[in-house]
Amino acid sequence: MKVIDLRSDTVTHPTTAMRQAIFEAEVGDDVYGEDPTVNRLEEMAAQRMGKDAGLLITSGTQGNIIAVLAHCKHGDEIVVGDEAHMFWYEVGGAAALGGVNIRTVPNDSSGRLNPDDIVRAIRDRDIHYPPTTLLCLENTHNRCGGMVLDVDYTNQVCDLAHARGLDVHLDGARIFNAAIALGVPVLVLVERAESVSFCLSKGLGAPVGSVICGSKPFIERARKFRKMLGGGMRQAGIIAAAGIVALETMVDRLAEDHANARRLAEGLAGIEGIRLAQESVPTNIVMFVVSPGVSGAEFIEGLKEVGVKLGFRNGGPFRAVTHYMVSSADIDEVLARIEAVYKELRQRAQR
Ligand SMILES: *Cc1c(COP(=O)(O)O)cnc(C)c1O
């Protein structure tokens, strides 16, 4: 039985081309700036993002904490969506390591922050207040089911932040999924943000790594903070080599993952008792809930027994994330297995 793992696109293994590139990678000591493969990846990433410079970092989480450290001073306040990855899943790093106050404003179901809420959250100058210095956006939005912020919205919110003296950091862990879904070059989507980070290790299939991009002085500060956080790596060309292949070969094909996610969503919506937990499925994340009476933990356990792995946190929706190791035939197989397990549990609940 083939195990089909839809917990996340982070479970993807490096492609054959990546393994070959890793094998052949020219390397040096990157802390001395001497790894040619890292330097090539950083230039390539910066160019894709339309920024002056890039920096290979260990993870998306490290990118976001570096952004906070490099944009803010101790005691500053940042504005973040209340469903943001930075707020939920980064161990409170901005506060713990940056000494930065996190002020949340509500995310709507499409991952947006209401501009009026942002304005209200930005502090005036007052002796009592911490200065608000950074706005963080997330695209695509993880907890909002891979929803996409479009170019107009992103520009509008960046302008609003800039007019009030804030910088903008874009958590673009899956920014290429957003660009592909919108059919725009990624640089148009990140143009007005001072910094953007993206993951090589998710849908792009690389084994490790993210890149953060911004101006030269920003990346200089970021490089110093990366060292402070223990992220200065030596022959990191081993990692960068796969990242280059990821950028060259794995971006355009994300459209297939999006089509598979839609196929999965349509199939799920057709199963009685299962309901999608999002209005649309623009990228590679599908969230859904099952009718009450069926225990989430039992459903997940039953699926595991038939070789289907889904994401689930108690009380939350189920999550399926498509990626290059899952084909459209696999999606049909997943639907059949989900339907069988779900029916069985439901009948048991009704007995
Ligand atoms: C996955 C993710 C991150 C963190 O990336 P890691 O490489 O897992 O640390 C940050 N932001 C968003 C929106 C993500 O989806």
Side-chain angles (χ1 to χ4, degrees), residues 52-298:
D52 293 337
L55 183 71
L56 173 65
I57 50 184
T58 58
S59 66
T61 301
Q62 189 177 63
N64 289 333
I65 184 62
I66 284 175
V68 167
L69 293 168
H71 283 295
C72 305
K73 292 187 308 298
H74 226 76
D76 285 0
E77 187 165 82
I78 65 176
V79 177
V80 179
D82 66 354
E83 295 291 343
H85 194 282
M86 286 181 73
F87 183 59
W88 277 81
Y89 301 132
E90 301 187 5
V91 210
L97 304 177
V100 161
N101 208 22
I102 301 178
R103 181 154 187 185
T104 57
V105 300
N107 273 117
D108 70 15
S109 59
S110 61
R112 294 179 179 215
L113 312 176
N114 181 319
D116 295 336
D117 290 338
I118 297 173
V119 169
R120 260 195 302 279
I122 297 172
R123 309 261 195 172
D124 294 330
R125 273 171 201 262
D126 182 297
I127 193 168
H128 300 88
Y129 297 161
T132 313
T133 48
L134 184 68
L135 170 69
C136 300
L137 300 176
E138 184 174 318
N139 198 11
T140 67
H141 202 289
N142 186 328
R143 281 180 58 89
C144 294
M147 298 304 271
V148 175
L149 305 181
D150 64 24
V151 177
D152 284 347
Y153 172 80
T154 307
N155 286 348
Q156 179 199 351
V157 170
C158 286
D159 290 350
L160 173 165
H162 294 153
R164 289 161 181 79
L166 279 67
D167 282 348
V168 178
H169 171 64
L170 184 52
D171 176 359
R174 296 188 179 87
I175 193 70
F176 286 104
N177 293 86
I180 292 291
L182 293 168
V184 300
V186 71
L187 59 84
V188 176
L189 206 45
V190 307
E191 190 183 353
R192 297 195 195 171
E194 275 67 31
S195 59
V196 55
S197 51
F198 68 93
C199 290
L200 297 162
S201 57
K202 291 188 169 169
L204 301 187
V208 192
S210 290
V211 183
I212 186 164
C213 298
S215 69
K216 283 223 163 77
F218 172 83
I219 291 299
E220 233 169 84
R221 294 198 301 282
R223 191 178 292 278
K224 189 110 181 164
F225 283 118
R226 183 186 68 174
K227 192 79 187 86
M228 186 189 284
L229 295 169
M233 298 181 287
R234 302 299 179 173
Q235 284 74 45
I238 295 294
I239 291 169
I244 290 169
V245 175
L247 285 179
E248 282 176 341
T249 68
M250 298 295 279
V251 172
D252 291 339
R253 65 148 308 288
L254 292 172
E256 290 171 40
D257 299 343
H258 299 177
N260 282 336
R262 277 195 301 276
R263 187 183 186 91
L264 177 65
E266 279 160 22
L268 288 169
I271 300 173
E272 204 201 321
I274 294 186
R275 189 170 55 76
L276 294 183
Q278 56 194 94
E279 286 150 37
S280 62
V281 177
T283 60
N284 68 331
I285 301 179
V286 182
M287 310 265 228
F288 65 97
V289 292
V290 300
S291 58
V294 170
S295 134
E298 273 184 273

